[in-house]
Every structure is written in structure tokens, then in C-alpha cells.
Amino acid sequence: MAAKAARLAMEAAGVAPEDIGLIVLATSTPDFNPFPSTACIVQSLLGCVNAGAFDLQAACAGFIYALEQARGFVNFYPQRKALVIGAECLTRILDWTDRSSCILFGDGAGAVVIGNDESAGVAGMTTKATTILGADGNGSHFILRTGGTRESLPLDPVTGIPGKPQPAVASLTLQGHDVFAFAVRKLAKVVDDLCIHLGTRPDELDRVFAHQANRRIIEATARRMKLPLEKFWLNLETTANTSAASIPISLDQAVRSGALVEGMKIVLVGFGSGLTFGGTYCTWPHL
């Protein structure tokens, strides 16, 4: 999925594989856990022989984080392009007996190509786009997937050395009410703060592309900000929650449908496990 989305993005941008200097793939569901990175597999599939590649894990805010990494790269290497991908296979990690959560998630991928037409290291790029990134580790238990290497391997009582790792069944847990309150508060604040920083107002935005977690969160955010719901892109009925892929999928849909055109002032904003949050204000297509 990531490779297919990337090919479509490069085709739309008119960029060849050898022009890509960096691939950043935001995902919480990599092909391998934790290595090799899925980005390296995508790099091989695409033939981006001149590109470095790595995965970035910031859950559902991952695409915003990855976009900022790519901006930094093209700011100092303007002759190169960066490929930013959000891709998730969430249906592979769900507990399908938990009908309160498994119905919320889906699989998907989206991608964008980032370039820079200015000189290396020019800080003026920030006039085109402004970003806020943040985290609150106090809520790390609100959304989590068990497993990983948090616990040491048990020692063999005879030899005193760690035993053979046993395959563990990981599970996804979600504290919905806590996540809801955090999401509505942070989504609204990030958009407000971005607008304040640029001397504008949320009601002057043409579109808000929020992470598609669930419709109630977006509706509550719109009410909190006193904005019409029509300003928020919604596709949950067809894509569900695709985590780091939801914002680039939304962008792609909006562009291909003609709903997002050059000169529009937009905000991309997301939140996720960690807890992480972030947003970008830009004038399309200057991500």
C-alpha cells in the first residue's frame, strides 16, 4: 500500500524515483517489528536508489511529524525531493471480538512529495508553512499496544541466562473517553495557536484536514471552535480510522475531487497514542 501510494504521488508531482533523497514512512503497523524498516522495503520497491529511508512512529499524528522531518531535509538539500508516506494495516492488530473498538479502524496509505525551490538553509520556508508538534506522555496508557521489549526475557533457572523469546499475542487497548477529551481540546488549541502565530483566524481557513478518528471528535472540535462542520474534511464512512494514513488519504481525495485547489489556506491536524499531537498551517500546495 505504501509503495502504491508513493508511486501515485510521484506521478502526480512529475518526480522520478532517482530524484527522491529521503523517504519518511509514518506507521504504527510496520511489516516487521521493529526492523528492518518498512521505508527501506518501499525504497527498494520504488527504485529510489539515491534515497535514505526510515520509519517514524508517532501514531495517528505520525504524518505531521514525518512532514516536518521532510521539510528539514529539503530545506538544506533543495536539489533533492522527499517522499512522505502514511501507511497502516490496523486490521492485522485488532481484537475482532472487541466490537467496541475493532469497527473503528481500517487499512490504507497516502503519500506526498516535498520539494524546495529556495536556497539551502533559507528560513523563509516557514512563511509558507508553520508547524506545531507536541506530546503528553502522561496519557501514554490511553492508547497502547502490548508487546515489544519493555519486559526482560526470563532467566533460565538452571543456566542463569535468558531463555528463548516466546511469541506473544499483542493487543490494542483504548480508553475512549479520555482520548475523546484530549483530542477535542488539542485539535482546537493547535488550530487556534497556528492561526495566532500567523496573525489570522480559524474562520479564515478554507479547509481543516483533521485526523479521522471518529466523527464525534471532529463535530465536537468544530463546535468548540465555532466553525461550520463543512470546513472539516470527512471520509470516515469510507475509510474508517487509518491512523497515520488518514490525513494524506484525505488530501489525495480532496485534490483529485477538485475540493482542494491552489491558494487555499488549510490546516492539517492530528493526535494519537503517546500521546502525540501536531498541526501544520499552509497555503496549498506549499506544504
Side-chain angles (χ1 to χ4, degrees):
M1 291 190 301
K4 182 176 180 179
R7 287 193 188 98
L8 291 172
M10 290 192 295
E11 178 183 311
V15 171
E18 56 268 23
D19 296 330
I20 301 296
L22 180 69
I23 299 172
V24 188
L25 196 159
T27 185
S28 298
T29 52
D31 283 4
F32 298 94
N33 187 20
F35 51 81
S37 72
T38 304
C40 283
I41 299 170
V42 170
Q43 185 254 11
S44 175
L45 291 172
L46 297 177
C48 296
V49 294
N50 298 317
F54 66 92
D55 288 355
L56 183 149
Q57 208 291 87
C60 303
F63 183 76
I64 305 295
Y65 274 65
L67 198 58
E68 192 68 359
Q69 297 291 310
R71 282 208 200 99
F73 175 81
V74 299
N75 188 26
F76 287 97
Y77 302 97
Q79 73 279 16
R80 309 295 290 277
K81 307 294 185 185
L83 184 59
V84 184
I85 309 169
E88 302 286 9
C89 289
L90 293 167
T91 58
R92 295 179 181 175
I93 67 170
L94 298 175
D95 177 0
W96 287 97
T97 66
D98 180 4
R99 304 303 294 175
S100 66
S101 64
C102 71
I103 60 172
L104 303 175
F105 299 96
D107 301 336
V112 298
V113 174
I114 301 293
N116 179 15
D117 56 5
E118 298 175 347
S119 301
V122 174
M125 283 186 67
T126 57
T127 63
K128 294 182 179 179
T130 297
T131 298
I132 291 174
L133 300 179
D136 181 2
N138 291 322
S140 59
H141 58 288
F142 290 175
I143 315 170
L144 62 85
R145 186 189 182 200
T146 59
T149 55
R150 181 180 177 88
E151 303 295 336
S152 300
L153 293 174
L155 296 179
D156 185 290
V158 177
T159 65
I161 62 174
K164 183 178 180 181
Q166 297 298 315
V169 178
S171 62
L172 179 71
T173 62
L174 172 68
Q175 296 186 20
H177 293 296
D178 295 317
V179 172
F180 183 94
F182 173 84
V184 174
R185 184 175 69 255
K186 284 299 181 184
L187 290 181
K189 180 171 173 50
V190 167
V191 177
D192 282 340
D193 288 350
L194 286 168
C195 290
I196 290 171
H197 180 74
L198 293 174
T200 184
R201 302 189 311 271
D203 61 9
E204 295 179 297
L205 292 169
D206 294 303
R207 279 283 189 179
V208 178
F209 291 89
H211 164 51
Q212 305 288 303
N214 70 56
R215 186 183 178 93
R216 291 194 306 116
I217 288 176
I218 296 176
E219 288 174 341
T221 301
R223 289 195 300 269
R224 188 182 183 102
M225 299 185 67
K226 298 181 172 58
L227 292 178
L229 186 61
E230 291 72 26
K231 282 191 181 264
F232 290 77
W233 187 265
L234 286 168
N235 59 12
L236 276 157
E237 69 278 7
T238 57
T239 65
N241 179 345
T242 54
S243 189
S246 73
I247 292 176
I249 287 174
S250 297
L251 283 174
D252 184 76
Q253 290 178 338
V255 170
R256 294 180 190 276
S257 69
L260 179 58
V261 297
E262 186 171 351
M264 279 189 168
K265 295 174 181 174
I266 65 172
V267 164
L268 318 179
V269 60
F271 67 94
S273 174
L275 296 163
T276 58
F277 58 91
T280 291
Y281 183 114
C282 62
T283 301
W284 184 260
H286 299 294
L287 286 174

